[in-house]
Amino acid sequence: MSSSLRFDRGHTDDLMAFLMASPSPYHAVATAAARLEKAGFRQVEETAAWDGTTGGKYVLRGGAIVAWYVPEGAGAHTPFRIAGAHTDSPNLRVKPIPDTGAYGWRQVAVEVYGGTLLNTWLDRDLGLAGRISLRDGTDRLVSIDCPLLRVPQLAVHLDRSANTDGLKLDRQKHMQPIWGLGDVEEGDLIRFVAEEAGVDAEDITGWDLMPHPVEPPAYLGRDRELLAGPRMDNLLSVHAATAALAAVAGQPDSELPYIPVMAAFDHEENGSQSDTGADGPLLGTVLERSVFARGGGYEDRARAFAGTVCLSSDTGHAIHPNYGERHDPTHHPVINGGPILKVNVNMRYATDGGGRSVFAAACEKAGVPWQTFVSNNAMPCGTTIGPITAARHGIKTVDIGVAILSMHSARELCGADDPYLLANALASFLAG
């Protein structure tokens, strides 16, 4: 692996900035695109005709981005190396009629998105971010990155059983954040958002808004060997894949036997079934159009896909010191132990023996340690974009990631070394 591809603790510092700049999937892809632009990539529109020129290109669609680099000499049948991830995180989303309240409190009506740990959203200072859709058909990003909302927990004096019988939260009744005092006024929230965005409220015809914790990421621990922050599932992987692709694209084309790709999808946390999700046509369409733009036909497309491999990168579970019995007795991924290979024989993860070999080779070339994650047989196993990618496109796919604690919390925890170890492994893989 070229020394110029190696990432160090500075990568983790940069991850913290990436998390702060990406309070929503729409911000995440915009941030990734801006970094790729600096590396020489250019955006191509899906509605335009594509050419077969070499270099870095990317497509944006909502909260998804697919970027690829075509080296000099790449044939129409040249296989792809894909680093896959997802941009969304479990959280709260603003409803179509957002203004609500009771007993003199003004509140915002929200819907629970994905499998979030509800209690972690209590008593946090929350901003508001996402996108607004305007009457002229354009979208605009908005980020109100200051304390605006709060989901207040009931005092222990009024719930004496909270610490003995467990906290019980009703997703409808107990998760609506407060944001002020007074009577409920229809249109109040959107008027406020419009003012913050510098547009007329009457011009806003749609919105995809979500609260986000405003507390910044931080190193933690005696030796600062831990990192706490929001949306690590799965912006940690999006950031690593973006950095790896940009670094690989900066290498001599003669060193690239594959076409490196980064694909980050939305809606993984609720099943990936959308036009920007991994179960949609976006990735396949982009790869096919790349083949056809370089003069290829169906045969070239089939050959390219047959030789393609995808590393689906998502966070996994590190061994928890307080709940060791919940983990497999012989597989204990540790923080700062390097990326994990995720295995499930029921294909909740797409990894097989051949995929393991590809991942092991990439880590060995990068000088990166790695570990294996398998769920306890008595515990249901989660899933990722991996099996969907493998089944939908017929692409060999391997599930990997970084081991963390507090997955799906509003604030998760990883090792400070693991983000750059993952980025090194991905760069090694993409470079072939």
Side-chain angles (χ1 to χ4, degrees):
M1 181 176 171
S2 170
S3 60
S4 62
L5 291 183
R6 295 194 181 278
F7 302 99
D8 54 23
R9 182 63 76 87
H11 174 88
T12 305
D13 294 337
D14 190 62
L15 169 61
M16 297 167 72
F18 188 91
L19 293 172
M20 285 299 290
S22 307
S24 78
Y26 317 110
H27 288 82
V29 299
T31 305
R35 289 166 179 241
L36 290 173
E37 289 273 357
K38 290 182 178 179
F41 285 69
R42 62 181 178 88
Q43 183 176 0
V44 294
E45 298 293 340
E46 292 186 83
T47 55
W50 291 8
D51 58 44
T53 56
T54 59
K57 307 171 186 180
Y58 67 90
V59 165
L60 292 181
R61 183 192 290 185
I65 180 172
V66 180
W68 65 104
Y69 180 81
V70 181
E72 291 283 351
H77 60 274
T78 298
F80 301 92
R81 281 287 178 101
I82 306 168
H86 68 87
T87 61
D88 60 320
S89 302
N91 61 4
L92 308 175
R93 304 284 177 105
V94 175
K95 288 184 175 181
I97 302 176
D99 299 295
T100 187
Y103 306 109
W105 290 99
R106 289 156 61 200
Q107 296 174 272
V108 175
V110 297
E111 189 173 4
V112 177
Y113 176 85
T116 186
L117 284 169
L118 297 179
N119 66 293
T120 67
W121 287 83
L122 303 178
D123 298 333
R124 288 189 181 274
D125 296 335
L126 305 173
L128 191 65
R131 68 178 179 183
I132 52 177
S133 299
L134 304 181
R135 194 175 301 280
D136 63 5
T138 62
D139 293 328
R140 183 173 299 189
L141 297 184
V142 59
S143 180
I144 304 170
D145 197 30
C146 64
L148 178 68
L149 310 169
R150 184 181 179 91
V151 184
Q153 186 169 189
L154 186 63
V156 69
H157 311 78
L158 304 178
D159 186 8
R160 295 289 185 181
S161 64
N163 290 328
T164 54
D165 298 338
L167 180 64
K168 296 179 176 62
L169 294 171
D170 184 289
R171 294 160 68 94
Q172 177 62 38
K173 294 194 299 183
H174 300 150
M175 298 305 299
Q176 310 307 311
I178 60 174
W179 76 302
L181 301 172
D183 296 332
V184 176
E185 297 182 26
E186 184 178 351
D188 200 17
L189 180 71
I190 298 307
R191 283 192 292 271
F192 175 79
V193 171
E195 183 177 350
E196 292 290 316
V199 301
D200 292 332
E202 293 75 15
D203 289 335
I204 299 178
T205 55
W207 52 85
D208 300 281
L209 298 170
M210 57 205 74
H212 66 277
V214 298
E215 182 183 4
Y219 287 111
L220 184 143
R222 184 193 65 181
D223 299 318
R224 292 166 53 88
E225 70 268 51
L226 304 173
L227 177 68
R231 300 178 295 280
M232 291 190 188
D233 180 11
N234 186 31
L235 294 188
L236 188 158
S237 296
V238 175
H239 175 255
T242 303
L245 178 61
V248 169
Q251 299 302 291
D253 284 357
S254 60
E255 298 180 9
L256 296 178
Y258 303 97
I259 295 174
V261 180
M262 184 269 283
F265 303 98
D266 202 352
H267 302 129
E268 190 273 345
E269 297 294 355
N270 59 12
S272 294
Q273 292 185 320
S274 71
D275 70 316
T276 54
D279 203 19
L282 180 59
L283 176 62
T285 299
V286 168
L287 298 184
E288 288 178 349
R289 291 185 69 178
S290 175
V291 170
F292 299 154
R294 283 177 280 118
Y298 181 81
E299 182 71 11
D300 298 293
R301 180 258 188 218
R303 293 174 64 188
F305 277 41
T308 293
V309 183
C310 173
L311 290 190
S312 162
S313 182
D314 204 345
T315 55
H317 303 293
I319 183 72
H320 197 300
N322 298 336
Y323 299 91
E325 73 282 359
R326 302 295 181 97
H327 298 264
D328 182 83
T330 57
H331 295 80
H332 293 164
V334 297
I335 294 290
N336 286 332
I340 56 174
L341 179 74
K342 302 162 79 169
V343 179
N344 180 265
V345 296
N346 294 301
M347 298 310 292
R348 300 290 284 172
Y349 303 131
T351 305
D352 62 10
R356 175 190 173 106
S357 296
V358 172
F359 178 64
C363 289
E364 182 177 354
K365 186 173 75 168
V368 169
W370 60 280
Q371 9 184 17
T372 304
F373 171 81
V374 179
S375 289
N376 185 311
N377 282 322
M379 297 286 170
C381 180
T383 190
T384 69
I385 66 166
I388 293 170
T389 302
R392 182 170 182 83
H393 307 295
I395 290 172
K396 176 179 283 295
T397 304
V398 189
D399 273 296
I400 67 164
V402 162
I404 70 170
L405 293 182
S406 306
M407 187 185 295
H408 287 197
S409 169
R411 192 168 178 86
E412 297 161 321
L413 183 72
C414 75
D417 296 339
D418 283 328
Y420 71 81
L421 293 176
L422 173 65
N424 282 326
L426 290 178
S428 173
F429 166 74
L430 292 177

